Amino acid sequence: MTMKRRTLLALTLATGLTAPGIALAQADTIKIGLLATFEGAFTVLGEDSERGAMTAVDEFGGMVAGKKIEIVKGSSDASPDSAVRAARKLVEQDGVKILVGPLSGDEGIAVKDYAKTHPDVTFLNGSSAAQDTTLRDPADNFFRFSTDGAQWMAGLGTYAYNDRGYKKVATVAEDYSFPYTQVFGFMAEFCKAGGTVPSKSWVPIGNKDYSSVIAAIPDDVDAIYVALGGADAVNFLSQYNDAGGQAPLIGGSITVDQTVLTAKGRMRDVLIGTPAAGPTADTNDSQAWKDFTAAYKKQDGAFPSPSLFAHAYYINMKAALLALDKVGGDLSDDGAKLRQELSTISFETPTGKVSLDSNRNAIADMYLTEVSEAADGTLVNKLIKVTPQVNQTLGIPTDEFLALGAVSRENPSCP
Amino acid sequence: MSDLPLSPAQKPAGARSWIETLGLAHILLGLFLLIYPAMASDFFLTQIGGYSLVLGMISLSLMLLAGYGGMVSLAQITVAGAAGYVVAIFGVNNSGVHGFGWPWWVFVPLAIAIASLVSALIGWIAVRTEGIYTIMITLAVATACFYFTQQNYALFNGFPGYNGLRAPEVFGVYWRDPVPFYYLCLAMATLAYAAVLYGARSTFGLTLQAIRDNPRRMRAIGFNVTAHKVFAWWLAGLIAGAAGVLLVWFNGRISPGTIAVGPAINILVIAIIGGLRHPIGPFLGAVVVTLMQTFAIDIIGAERFNTLIGLVFLLIVFISPDGILGLWERFRPQAGREDWRTFRTATKQVGNKGRKT
């Protein structure tokens, strides 16, 4: 008996250690890796991104070019290390040839670097929106059909200065590359219009206590630009509300996203009327957007309106499926044809036409929005204005744009 | 592992063949690990094999402190991270910050040396406390280091940390290729394992265990208790530092996420799951934890896989408070009963001593 048990134990251990990549890759299925944050501070965002990706898969009926689509999921916690580890598992163990993800800014930069070591695998971005994922030192097999954080800000800086009359704005943002990119996008327009930004606060991801940040904001600013995401945004907004914050807010793209607007907490008063910009607008009344919302809502646990993450994963997944369809699901050449197809593809999305530039970064329409209360009492982003076909250099010639330098805490600056 | 060589002096030294000296289990395990690359895919070789050995080494440094010194530290990943950051700063990275491009034979010893000093420093702060307070103060140090690296851009490059760290090419071999990297990890882990096994029976090791059991008595008979403890921290730092170098070569990058509170607790979980009584424990724990964390998502899906991991760990500790080492004991064969009894009495004594602290 004991011998048997011991043999069993040894067997379990041995098979666990040696199972030589049980790759059941059947000829009639196509494996696609889906990498998102299913743990950590951005879990809610990650779950919604999955809904977006699955909306695209469902749109194709789970089949592409006569082959079944098999989604293999990988989870990260928004740290670049965990994203690379999850990507490695999907590529090297599960043998996916197409990977959609990751979700967060620095994850994108890390996965882009990893992509270079696997030129036979096709990487499509999830919703990560750091500028340097595609702008500087890009990878040939990394495609971003969602846009970057600076593009998302198109129209906001000018609107804040001209229409709202804000001359002096303080910023509060998380301390990593995506918020840097967002602040860059906002300030590029705002400072050009004549505004000044005397104070920038950078807070770590997952910060819980914002009292010192709120206290450090100068009293004489006209508004506060907030670029925080997920739980961080909820914490800041409710604490700002509790502190009796008076200055109006300007929102980063994910600060007033559905993932935050649907959260419980006393944030209503400070949120209503907050202008923001991003790749989506909840009250977009184009038929394509309405159809997309209806399809998205069929997913389990869906928000009243798809979040920016659902949207980004949807677009990237859809691009992958469209291109796969075009090449007849043929990946026998290590995906060379697929990547050729991806770099030239251009298609209509729920938010207008998308095409890629030479760095494989998307050119797409951007939406200027304002938080308002819908008829049913929920908070939504009301569409104010569409900025058509924004490219990664925000309309500035590429070399001039590159000369502005990489985004960071200090860059740009206009105190 | 069937003859855990805890009591080597049971037989007359002259009668011992080399097989007995090494222990049959060690030889079998060693053989298995040596031919493992022939059986495993690249993924299993590095992502499971290499990674487990690296995590096992970091946990081993904790096992050394906790098992022999009675000091449970949550800052071992911080020590490994210190070595990792030295590699990133003095070696080559592609983040465009620092990256002095020194040769590996300068920055690797430097990294391990700095890590061991950091460890000794943490130890020097922590030895003034005992029991739960040691855990708390090391957790505080680990958390402070995590936030500091995340906020500091001048030295640590903040949240993104350092990217593009490559293992060196020596003797025409690129040491991050699956097979060389696995053997490199195996060699380092074996070295650390053997050193701990030997050290535990050295004068210093026995003194340390005596200090664990009764520091007041040891102080009374003239031992410098603080110095011994800090020296143990320094030794643990050497192991964790070496593992830290391997860890950044494995990941190809280091960021505050590498040394966050989650990974710090992970190291403790590995040590507890494996068992703190013998240096093989941390490695067993590392294999189980790595397998779980890699494959749980395939078993149960993306929403609840962390719950499954937690439940499995809970189950292991529930069935066997001594971790996998204790499990092994239960399923031992009848044939070795005789040895097994002496072993059990030996370990019981160790266990009883441990409980007194």
Side-chain angles (χ1 to χ4, degrees), chain B:
Chain B
M1 272 159 287
S2 57
D3 318 320
L4 291 174
L6 272 182
S7 42
Q10 278 171 355
K11 290 177 191 166
R16 288 157 58 88
S17 71
W18 64 273
I19 293 187
E20 281 173 89
T21 317
L22 268 178
L24 188 64
H26 277 151
I27 295 170
L28 290 178
L29 181 66
L31 274 179
F32 172 72
L33 290 175
L34 279 176
I35 58 166
Y36 178 57
M39 304 181 265
S41 65
D42 283 357
F43 178 81
F44 268 84
L45 206 51
T46 44
Q47 299 299 122
I48 305 294
Y51 191 44
S52 297
L53 288 166
V54 172
L55 286 182
M57 278 175 77
I58 303 177
S59 284
L60 178 67
S61 76
L62 166 60
M63 179 269 153
L64 188 164
L65 290 173
Y68 301 127
M71 301 173 281
V72 178
S73 161
L74 278 173
Q76 293 318 104
I77 193 80
T78 311
V79 175
Y85 270 110
V86 172
V87 170
I89 291 167
F90 291 97
V92 178
N93 66 63
N94 67 9
S95 295
V97 185
H98 302 301
F100 301 144
W102 290 9
W104 68 271
W105 44 268
V106 177
F107 70 68
V108 169
L110 182 72
I112 298 175
I114 289 182
S116 62
L117 289 180
V118 168
S119 180
L121 186 69
I122 296 173
W124 187 61
I125 299 167
V127 292
R128 283 140 208 281
T129 59
E130 267 184 26
I132 187 127
Y133 301 103
T134 309
I135 303 181
M136 286 173 69
I137 204 160
T138 49
L139 176 63
V141 169
T143 313
C145 286
F146 163 64
Y147 277 110
F148 183 69
T149 51
Q150 185 162 286
Q151 301 275 282
N152 179 290
Y153 274 76
L155 196 53
F156 296 106
N157 201 29
F159 183 87
Y162 291 97
N163 235 325
L165 311 175
R166 282 171 62 89
E169 286 178 39
V170 188
F171 311 125
V173 177
Y174 174 45
W175 288 93
R176 181 58 181 81
D177 280 337
V179 177
F181 182 72
Y182 170 78
Y183 280 120
L184 180 65
C185 291
L186 184 60
M188 296 304 283
T190 311
L191 194 67
Y193 172 74
V196 171
L197 215 50
Y198 173 79
R201 284 174 277 156
S202 68
T203 316
F204 170 74
L206 294 172
T207 314
L208 187 66
Q209 291 168 60
I211 289 174
R212 170 197 68 194
D213 294 342
N214 198 329
R216 285 179 69 189
R217 194 173 293 171
M218 290 301 278
R219 196 173 283 124
I221 51 177
F223 282 94
N224 187 336
V225 169
T226 306
H228 274 82
K229 283 184 167 181
V230 172
F231 187 65
W233 276 87
W234 183 76
L235 290 176
L238 290 179
I239 296 174
V245 174
L246 294 175
L247 184 67
V248 294
W249 285 346
F250 167 78
N251 279 329
R253 51 172 296 107
I254 185 164
S255 69
T258 315
I259 58 166
V261 177
I265 291 173
N266 209 19
I267 296 298
L268 181 66
V269 169
I270 288 171
I272 302 291
I273 293 290
L276 281 173
R277 234 175 29 206
H278 189 274
I280 198 70
F283 292 101
L284 292 177
V287 170
V288 171
V289 169
T290 308
L291 283 174
M292 281 305 297
Q293 289 179 344
T294 310
F295 293 109
I297 194 166
D298 295 339
I299 301 171
I300 199 164
E303 278 73 35
R304 292 282 171 268
F305 71 100
N306 275 323
T307 315
L308 178 71
I309 295 175
L311 283 175
V312 169
F313 295 167
L314 206 63
L315 196 71
I316 292 178
V317 179
F318 182 73
I319 295 175
S320 160
D322 287 335
I324 298 169
L325 275 182
L327 276 182
W328 185 264
E329 219 170 79
R330 292 195 181 189
F331 299 127
R332 281 172 64 86
Q334 296 288 340
R337 250 330 162 197
E338 207 49 47
D339 276 353
W340 147 227
R341 283 213 184 103
T342 46
F343 165 62
R344 184 143 84 168
T345 19
T347 49
K348 256 198 183 154
Q349 280 160 2
V350 173
N352 287 341
K353 275 186 208 160
R355 267 190 278 281
K356 270 186 209 155
T357 57

Side-chain angles (χ1 to χ4, degrees), chain A residues 26-378:
Chain A
Q26 288 145 359
D28 51 353
T29 61
I30 288 183
K31 263 192 193 179
I32 300 181
L34 177 66
L35 171 58
T37 53
F38 295 116
E39 52 194 308
F42 290 168
T43 308
V44 176
L45 288 52
E47 285 168 359
D48 204 45
S49 70
E50 184 190 343
R51 284 177 209 123
M54 294 317 286
T55 306
V57 174
D58 290 349
E59 192 178 309
F60 280 73
M63 303 276 283
V64 65
K67 298 183 181 184
K68 202 169 166 296
I69 303 167
E70 184 190 344
I71 300 290
V72 190
K73 283 181 249 175
S75 170
S76 72
D77 61 7
S79 77
D81 303 44
S82 65
V84 171
R85 204 149 50 233
R88 273 211 183 110
K89 194 228 159 204
L90 291 173
V91 170
E92 295 169 28
Q93 175 61 19
D94 298 320
V96 304
K97 289 287 168 208
I98 301 166
L99 191 148
V100 177
L103 181 136
S104 176
D106 278 300
E107 292 185 310
I109 295 178
V111 170
K112 175 252 298 188
D113 277 331
Y114 172 69
K116 289 180 185 166
T117 64
H118 283 272
D120 57 325
V121 178
T122 308
F123 291 79
L124 288 103
N125 185 49
S127 57
S128 90
Q131 199 169 56
D132 280 346
T133 311
T134 50
L135 186 63
R136 290 178 181 83
D137 191 23
D140 293 335
N141 52 341
F142 192 99
F143 299 82
R144 176 153 69 188
F145 286 89
S146 50
T147 32
D148 83 19
Q151 290 172 276
W152 292 354
M153 288 289 97
L156 184 60
T158 320
Y159 175 78
Y161 189 86
N162 291 340
D163 298 57
R164 291 292 180 108
Y166 302 148
K167 308 286 180 246
K168 228 180 189 185
V169 167
T171 70
V172 176
E174 283 147 339
D175 199 359
Y176 70 102
S177 62
F178 166 65
Y180 299 160
T181 308
Q182 287 247 286
V183 170
F184 177 95
F186 170 74
M187 285 175 67
E189 281 187 15
F190 185 69
C191 297
K192 203 169 162 192
T196 59
V197 178
S199 138
K200 289 190 268 188
S201 306
W202 303 107
V203 297
I205 290 187
N207 192 27
K208 303 282 185 292
D209 180 4
Y210 287 90
S211 50
S212 61
V213 175
I214 292 169
I217 296 169
D219 291 334
D220 61 344
V221 293
D222 301 320
I224 305 169
Y225 172 83
V226 186
L228 303 167
D232 289 349
V234 174
N235 283 333
F236 173 83
L237 293 169
S238 48
Q239 285 175 38
Y240 183 68
N241 185 54
D242 290 350
Q246 293 301 316
L249 302 179
I250 304 170
S253 304
I254 66 172
T255 312
V256 291
D257 177 65
Q258 279 298 321
T259 53
V260 174
L261 295 181
T262 53
K264 310 255 183 304
R266 293 182 305 263
M267 311 179 298
R268 218 158 240 279
D269 304 344
V270 292
L271 270 175
I272 291 174
T274 300
T280 64
D282 300 332
T283 63
N284 187 345
D285 54 8
S286 77
Q287 193 54 41
W289 177 259
K290 284 181 181 160
D291 293 347
F292 171 56
T293 308
Y296 160 84
K297 277 190 174 171
K298 289 188 190 131
Q299 304 289 328
D300 278 345
F303 292 121
S305 176
S307 73
L308 175 159
F309 301 95
H311 172 258
Y313 271 79
Y314 168 81
I315 303 244
N316 282 298
M317 183 62 87
K318 180 156 184 186
L321 297 178
L322 282 174
L324 269 173
D325 196 40
K326 275 267 179 63
V327 300
D330 179 18
L331 294 170
S332 54
D333 55 350
D334 283 340
K337 256 193 298 181
L338 175 73
R339 285 190 288 279
Q340 181 57 38
E341 188 57 45
L342 278 172
S343 39
T344 52
I345 203 171
S346 149
F347 61 102
E348 282 299 323
T349 72
T351 49
K353 184 173 116 46
V354 166
S355 58
L356 292 189
D357 64 16
S358 58
N359 280 351
R360 294 163 298 285
N361 190 77
I363 302 168
D365 294 351
M366 290 301 141
Y367 295 80
L368 185 65
T369 60
E370 183 183 292
V371 179
S372 57
E373 206 165 353
D376 60 357
T378 55

